[in-house]
Amino acid sequence: MTLSTTRAPRLHRAWWVAAVAFVAILGAAGFRATPGVLINPLQEEFGWSRGTISLAVSVNLVLYGLTAPFAAALMDRFGMRRVVSLALLLVAAGSGLTVLMTASWQLLLFWGVLVGLGTGSMALVFVATVTDRWFVRHRGLVTGVLTAAGATGQLIFLPVLAQLAEGPGWRVASLAVAASALAVVPFVWWLLRDHPSDVGLTALGAEPDAPPVAQQHANAALRAVTVLRSAARTRPFWFLAGGFAICGASTNGLVGTHFIPAAHDHGMAEPTAAGLLAVIGIFDIAGTVASGWLSDRMDPKVLLGVYYGLRGLSLMVLPSLFAATTEPSMLIFIVFYGLDWVATVPPTVALCRRVYGADGAVVFGWVFASHQVGAAIAAVGAGLARDHLGAYDLAWYGAGALCLLATGMSLAIGHARAR
């Protein structure tokens, strides 16, 4: 009698894939958040206005979003491992080259274009792709955990980069980002696999005889555009895209980019303000993981409506909370906003999957693109408001009102019907 020497692994390979995805997404979030730390140092050294610097941030945000649906299609065509490895190399190149720049157009090229394309390829569509391919059981929870990696990246990078920018200088901070991106590449190449079938497995929680997901051989750009054309004929897409655009405007575009300089306007030291953003990251982890857990159990559109409504009310209170020191009222805002920061992602991914099926990841890529367009508009708009009005108040109130609008759009998703 011959005994088989093959044993089923105690830990499903899906968890290793999720772990390396967590590291890559963590880094991408930290790399993307860095310009918020560099606004004042760049303004002091080069004399560029906040509007000019914010334009580079806006280019970064737009490409971060617009790259996403094409990255999702490229992952279907060429595999996650190749796309994510190339993305990390782009981030390293863009961040490293900034130490050589002497003109604002170079900031647009390096931080705006190269880092925007790189981080966009590791954006939340990567989360949707990993969870769609590798998980059936715990899909919502893993979506929440991987989304929380963005908050963790902010938590790790922002305080460190703020200290580097204030001490050794912003060039050291940029080189630290480049080195960190390069350090992740070997782990992605070694541990990330594109499909469970590549290692003789099925997705976690899938039936043992479940057929493997067919690899897409169509032109990636054509597929991304075709999926957009189809989804754009349905009402749910516009509700999702509109709400997520407002989500981006009220998080990455406004708070993520301008909270530090706004706090500095009121006398707060930049490392202290960066620390507050890091605290948002701490509570965002809990809020996003909880949101993923809830998305497995509740109607996602109701969750979205609640998240946007509470966020809008909190933004309308924020202008009265700024001070030179960290007051208890500001800490309450930071904790609350942290819990709500990207809690919107798991229910949005769940709705894209529910409505659009196998195309859900690519559709979410386009919805995420709208998120970043909204973020870009808010980033440059808030910078211009500060340049012309001398304060950010109009930006905070406007974003709060838009979040209340997003509440209504989210609650209407369940009643929208495809045309």
Side-chain angles (χ1 to χ4, degrees):
M1 181 174 64
T2 302
L3 296 177
S4 174
T5 58
T6 302
R7 294 182 179 178
R10 292 183 179 179
L11 188 66
H12 195 284
R13 183 62 180 265
W15 296 113
W16 288 107
V17 172
V20 72
F22 184 95
V23 173
I25 295 164
L26 178 150
F31 309 150
R32 216 290 316 148
T34 305
V37 174
L38 303 183
I39 287 179
N40 285 328
L42 291 176
Q43 187 176 23
E44 291 170 3
E45 177 168 337
F46 295 104
W48 300 334
S49 69
R50 291 191 187 180
T52 298
I53 299 170
S54 297
L55 179 60
V57 177
S58 294
V59 171
N60 179 292
L61 291 169
V62 169
L63 288 178
Y64 181 62
L66 292 180
T67 302
F70 296 97
L74 285 170
M75 288 177 190
D76 283 344
R77 178 66 179 85
F78 298 106
M80 295 185 291
R81 185 166 59 161
R82 292 177 181 176
V83 173
V84 174
S85 296
L86 178 60
L88 288 164
L89 293 175
L90 282 174
V91 170
S95 182
L97 288 171
T98 55
V99 303
L100 304 176
M101 66 184 180
T102 57
S104 59
W105 69 265
Q106 294 166 337
L107 180 67
L108 272 156
L109 174 61
F110 300 147
W111 266 110
V113 177
L114 293 182
V115 176
L117 288 172
T119 54
S121 298
M122 296 179 288
L124 296 177
V125 292
F126 184 31
V127 175
T129 303
V130 168
T131 54
D132 280 354
R133 292 183 183 181
W134 281 91
F135 292 88
V136 174
R137 187 166 65 245
H138 307 306
R139 184 177 277 165
L141 177 63
V142 175
T143 300
V145 171
L146 292 182
T147 303
T152 308
Q154 177 176 286
L155 166 65
I156 293 172
F157 276 86
L158 272 178
V160 174
L161 293 174
Q163 291 292 341
L164 290 175
E166 189 172 79
W170 66 267
R171 288 178 176 83
V172 175
S174 292
L175 290 175
V177 169
S180 299
L182 289 175
V184 178
V185 175
F187 294 96
V188 169
W189 198 256
W190 176 39
L191 293 173
L192 190 62
R193 290 294 181 271
D194 296 313
H195 297 278
S197 58
D198 294 345
V199 288
L201 297 174
T202 57
L204 179 63
E207 295 297 329
D209 57 350
V213 177
Q215 183 177 353
Q216 295 287 339
H217 296 285
N219 179 281
L222 178 61
R223 179 167 183 246
V225 173
T226 301
V227 170
L228 172 63
R229 186 180 303 146
S230 175
R233 295 181 180 136
T234 65
R235 293 179 189 174
F237 175 80
W238 295 106
F239 285 123
L240 287 164
F244 224 43
I246 293 170
C247 179
S250 57
T251 52
N252 301 81
L254 184 56
V255 176
T257 303
H258 291 284
F259 181 85
I260 294 174
H264 186 68
D265 285 346
H266 289 80
M268 183 177 289
E270 290 181 15
T272 302
L276 289 175
L277 278 184
V279 173
I280 285 180
I282 294 174
F283 285 93
D284 184 24
I285 296 170
T288 308
V289 172
S291 180
W293 183 83
L294 288 170
S295 295
D296 284 333
R297 292 161 174 79
M298 294 180 60
D299 188 340
K301 75 181 182 74
V302 174
L303 291 176
L304 280 180
V306 171
Y307 296 155
Y308 286 133
L310 293 176
R311 182 184 299 179
L313 295 175
S314 65
L315 281 172
M316 291 183 174
V317 175
L318 179 59
S320 64
L321 305 182
F322 283 111
T325 57
T326 305
E327 302 295 330
S329 56
M330 176 60 83
L331 287 175
I332 293 172
F333 169 84
I334 291 296
V335 170
F336 179 84
Y337 212 75
L339 291 171
D340 191 60
W341 182 263
V342 289
T344 53
V345 174
T348 302
V349 171
L351 286 167
C352 288
R353 185 183 299 120
R354 176 189 299 177
V355 177
Y356 300 104
D359 290 330
V362 178
V363 172
F364 178 70
W366 287 111
V367 171
F368 181 70
S370 73
H371 181 282
Q372 296 309 114
V373 170
I377 293 172
V380 71
L384 292 173
R386 170 62 177 78
D387 285 341
H388 292 283
L389 302 178
Y392 284 103
D393 289 7
L394 180 63
W396 306 125
Y397 292 132
L402 287 173
C403 285
L404 297 180
L405 174 62
T407 296
M409 296 171 69
S410 300
L411 294 176
I413 291 173
H415 302 288
R417 300 182 65 181
R419 288 183 291 177

